[in-house]
């Protein structure tokens, strides 16, 4: 398991996932900008109106946290691949995307429920987008990982 390859692959996958979430926000009008949602929650900067924070601190914290979690997921994938439990291929993308998406939905739902001042957003739309985004995340990690190893 090559940590530097997994780091680069996690950056690619997290970037692709973020792009998907921002595209979903643009297309649907729902608040799915994951970096802003995460940054708002972690910095407790939800506006009194329930709006997301776009402060430099919220964006920085959201970005660092999002990419750190992406790296943690990529390390887990790398371990699964090194132990030959799964392979970095289409089936691996489908399996890891599903499992990662379910874990993300559980995390986010819990985070919103325990947070004292969650932003006002349509949680079902956000969780659906988060679930689907994990297929893009895993696909980006797998593609980049395989590219770096070829």
């Amino acid at each position: 398991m090559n940590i530097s390859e997994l780091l680069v692959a996690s950056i690619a996958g997290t970037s692709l996932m973020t792009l998907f979430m921002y595209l979903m926000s643009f297309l649907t009008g729902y608040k799915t900008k994951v970096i802003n949602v995460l940054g708002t929650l972690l910095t407790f900067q939800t506006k009194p109106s329930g709006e997301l924070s776009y402060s430099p601190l919220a964006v920085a914290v959201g970005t660092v946290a999002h990419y750190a979690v992406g790296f943690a997921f990529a390390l887990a994938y790398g371990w699964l691949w090194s132990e030959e439990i799964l392979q970095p291929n289409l089936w691996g993308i489908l399996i890891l995307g599903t499992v990662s998406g379910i874990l993300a939905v559980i995390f986010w739902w819990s985070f919103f429920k325990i947070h004292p001042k969650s932003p006002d957003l349509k949680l079902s739309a956000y969780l659906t987008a988060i679930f689907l985004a994990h297929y893009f995340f895993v696909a980006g990690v797998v593609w980049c990982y395989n590219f770096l190893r070829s």
Side-chain angles (χ1 to χ4, degrees), residues 83-125:
E83 296 296 317
E84 298 184 8
I85 296 168
L86 288 172
Q87 296 300 314
N89 57 21
L90 180 58
W91 280 114
I93 291 170
L94 295 175
I95 293 167
L96 291 172
T98 301
V99 172
S100 298
I102 290 169
L103 291 173
V105 166
I106 291 168
F107 166 80
W108 279 103
W109 182 86
S110 301
F111 198 12
F112 272 91
K113 293 304 175 190
I114 65 170
H115 197 279
K117 187 129 172 70
S118 296
D120 182 26
L121 53 80
K122 185 170 178 162
L123 190 56
S124 62

Side-chain angles (χ1 to χ4, degrees), residues 15-35:
S15 297
L16 186 58
M17 175 185 182
T18 304
L19 179 63
F20 173 80
M21 294 296 286
Y22 277 66
L23 182 61
M24 291 302 295
S25 181
F26 175 75
L27 293 175
T28 67
Y30 292 123
K31 299 173 193 169
T32 60
K33 295 179 177 179
V34 65
I35 287 173

Side-chain angles (χ1 to χ4, degrees), residues 1-6 8-9 78 81-82 84 87-88 141-150:
M1 182 166 70
N2 186 315
I3 302 296
S4 60
E5 289 174 351
L6 289 170
V8 172
W81 299 331
S82 70
E84 298 184 8
Q87 296 300 314
V141 171
V142 166
W143 177 84
C144 188
Y145 179 79
N146 286 335
F147 177 79
L148 292 171
R149 296 187 58 96
S150 62

Side-chain angles (χ1 to χ4, degrees), residues 13-84:
T14 305
S15 297
L16 186 58
M17 175 185 182
T18 304
L19 179 63
F20 173 80
M21 294 296 286
Y22 277 66
L23 182 61
M24 291 302 295
S25 181
F26 175 75
L27 293 175
T28 67
Y30 292 123
K31 299 173 193 169
T32 60
K33 295 179 177 179
V34 65
I35 287 173
N36 299 96
V37 174
L38 186 55
T40 298
L41 289 166
L42 291 175
T43 61
F44 296 88
Q45 291 186 355
T46 304
K47 304 286 184 191
S49 64
E51 289 298 310
L52 297 174
S53 175
Y54 291 86
S55 75
L57 177 63
V59 172
V61 168
T63 300
V64 169
H66 188 51
Y67 280 87
V69 170
F71 183 49
F73 270 94
L75 287 173
Y77 303 161
W79 178 80
L80 291 169
W81 299 331
S82 70
E83 296 296 317
E84 298 184 8

